[in-house]
Amino acid sequence: MTKLIIAAGTGFLGQVLVNHFKNKFDQIVILTRGKSQTIDEIKYVNWNAKNFSGWENELENATVLINLAGKSVDCRYTKENKKEILWSRIKSTKVLNEAVLKCKNPPKHWLNSSTSTIYRFSLDKQMDEVNGEIGNDFSINVALSWEKAFFKIETPNTLKTALRTSIVLGKDGGAFIPLKTLAKIGFGGKQGKGNQFISWIHEDDFVNAIDFIIQKEITGIINIVSPEPIRNADFMQKLRKAVGFPFGIPMNTLLLEIGSFFIRTETELVLKSRNVIPKKLLENGFEFKFGDIDNAFRDLLN
């Protein structure tokens, strides 16, 4: 019997994974802060992502474990939030490591979230898994600590893969919804200088890539991004065209600072140049359905 466990699987990406994998596994278990219950043959089991309370037994005989746990970075970087962003990632990864080691028959493959934000701000160089340069700031140090917590404990019977994921563009959640709204009301101009790169991936390619990694048993660090990073100004121009709005007011850095204060987020999410490419996926023969942003937008708006 095949069994998939998704830790923190009730959000946008968790739902994308569930929809993709629901007919491919005999059983799906979601570890959630909500109550334990079964809905549509999917078993939800309560956990607090910090210590054992019975949920760890679910890992026995699991085929695949995917961990998505971590406080959203879409918030103000207050001292309190920064602490929560870091520790929600470290603690959940740590307790899962303990749970995996406790199992008689541990999960065969564990895929843990990470982020393409781990690479430095780059306008010049494309970052892949081999030659990518790691930067040094709050978000990057969180990513480094997260991957360290994941890899430093050896799990001899469980393969490990860290998913350095970029912005996932989806119909029902994530960054695409606010961006689409901005473009529709005339604020779809470039953000900041507009020359910063956006690394993105369509939700279908995101789940297909994860499926591919599981099938091929690819381990280590993998960039989950589309092959073509795109400059912010071009991204917004193509989005305006896709939603059919003729112009877009550009948002300079000051406007972004004011706006992000009001919507309780940080400008880093749009101003950092993430110039990341999926070298490992391509080398292993993965084929992207939406490598082109115009096709991706067309599909998402359809």
Side-chain angles (χ1 to χ4, degrees), residues 119-120 122 125-129 132-133 223 275-277:
Y119 302 106
R120 68 166 172 85
S122 173
K125 174 179 170 174
Q126 292 194 323
M127 303 293 173
D128 62 41
E129 297 92 342
E133 292 163 17
N223 292 340
N275 194 359
V276 184
I277 53 167

Side-chain angles (χ1 to χ4, degrees), residues 119 127-132 221-223 277-281:
Y119 302 106
M127 303 293 173
D128 62 41
E129 297 92 342
V130 181
N131 302 311
I221 285 156
I222 305 208
N223 292 340
I277 53 167
K279 185 176 181 182
K280 263 196 182 172
L281 279 176

Side-chain angles (χ1 to χ4, degrees), residues 280-296:
K280 263 196 182 172
L281 279 176
L282 293 171
E283 279 179 352
N284 279 282
F286 180 70
E287 288 178 17
F288 285 83
K289 199 165 135 189
F290 297 101
D292 175 75
I293 195 79
D294 291 314
N295 291 340

Side-chain angles (χ1 to χ4, degrees), residues 9-300:
T10 56
F12 159 55
L13 290 182
Q15 291 311 296
V16 171
L17 289 167
V18 167
N19 288 336
H20 177 82
F21 283 119
K22 62 182 181 228
N23 301 322
K24 300 191 175 206
F25 285 88
D26 299 318
Q27 190 185 11
I28 293 183
V29 177
I30 290 182
L31 303 181
T32 170
R33 288 173 185 275
K35 63 176 188 180
S36 297
Q37 56 187 332
T38 300
I39 305 171
D40 295 337
E41 294 179 16
I42 290 167
K43 187 175 176 186
Y44 293 82
V45 176
N46 175 267
W47 80 322
N48 67 359
K50 288 178 191 145
N51 34 43
F52 294 162
S53 60
W55 59 265
E56 64 280 6
N57 303 325
E58 294 295 339
L59 270 61
E60 283 292 351
N61 301 307
T63 318
V64 176
L65 163 65
I66 300 175
N67 175 29
L68 303 171
K71 176 178 168 62
S72 169
V73 293
D74 189 4
C75 62
R76 292 299 279 176
Y77 289 174
T78 60
K79 200 173 157 196
E80 200 47 43
N81 281 342
K82 278 178 149 177
K83 203 172 131 184
E84 182 62 17
I85 285 169
L86 176 66
W87 286 108
S88 59
R89 285 161 173 73
I90 305 296
K91 282 180 180 160
S92 56
T93 303
K94 218 175 136 192
V95 78
L96 284 169
N97 260 317
E98 288 165 22
V100 165
L101 288 176
K102 221 181 107 169
C103 288
K104 286 191 178 68
N105 294 303
K108 293 186 177 66
H109 197 161
W110 172 8
L111 297 87
N112 210 55
S113 284
S114 181
T115 171
S116 61
T117 296
I118 200 164
Y119 302 106
R120 68 166 172 85
F121 180 103
S122 173
L123 297 169
D124 53 325
K125 174 179 170 174
Q126 292 194 323
M127 303 293 173
D128 62 41
E129 297 92 342
V130 181
N131 302 311
E133 292 163 17
I134 308 296
N136 178 21
D137 63 23
F138 166 69
S139 301
I140 289 166
N141 293 327
V142 165
L144 283 168
S145 308
W146 195 6
E147 288 188 3
K148 190 178 167 191
F150 180 49
F151 285 118
K152 80 171 175 197
I153 293 173
E154 301 240 332
T155 51
N157 302 314
T158 303
L159 302 173
K160 280 183 167 174
T161 310
L163 309 168
R164 288 183 176 171
T165 308
S166 62
I167 295 167
V168 180
L169 301 176
K171 285 179 187 171
D172 299 321
F176 185 65
I177 290 176
L179 287 169
K180 177 177 74 175
T181 306
L182 280 177
K184 280 182 174 170
I185 59 172
F187 286 95
K190 65 178 186 182
Q191 293 154 333
K193 287 183 179 163
N195 65 342
Q196 69 275 28
F197 282 98
I198 297 176
S199 282
W200 58 278
I201 189 166
H202 186 290
E203 59 185 352
D204 288 5
D205 284 328
F206 168 76
V207 282
N208 290 336
I210 287 177
D211 200 329
F212 182 82
I213 289 162
I214 294 166
Q215 302 293 336
K216 293 241 178 192
E217 299 187 343
I218 307 169
T219 56
I221 285 156
I222 305 208
N223 292 340
I224 309 288
V225 298
S226 70
E228 299 281 333
I230 180 170
R231 294 208 186 257
N232 175 279
D234 298 332
F235 181 94
M236 294 310 292
Q237 185 262 327
K238 287 172 181 291
L239 181 56
R240 289 197 305 275
K241 190 178 152 202
V243 300
F245 206 87
F247 67 90
I249 297 168
M251 304 278 272
N252 65 27
T253 307
L254 178 65
L255 273 176
L256 284 170
E257 287 289 355
I258 297 166
S260 62
F261 175 78
F262 281 111
I263 61 168
R264 315 305 298 153
T265 186
E266 288 289 330
T267 56
E268 179 199 39
L269 300 179
V270 292
L271 293 180
K272 176 164 179 177
S273 187
R274 296 175 179 81
N275 194 359
V276 184
I277 53 167
K279 185 176 181 182
K280 263 196 182 172
L281 279 176
L282 293 171
E283 279 179 352
N284 279 282
F286 180 70
E287 288 178 17
F288 285 83
K289 199 165 135 189
F290 297 101
D292 175 75
I293 195 79
D294 291 314
N295 291 340
F297 285 156
R298 214 169 292 131
D299 179 76
L300 292 168

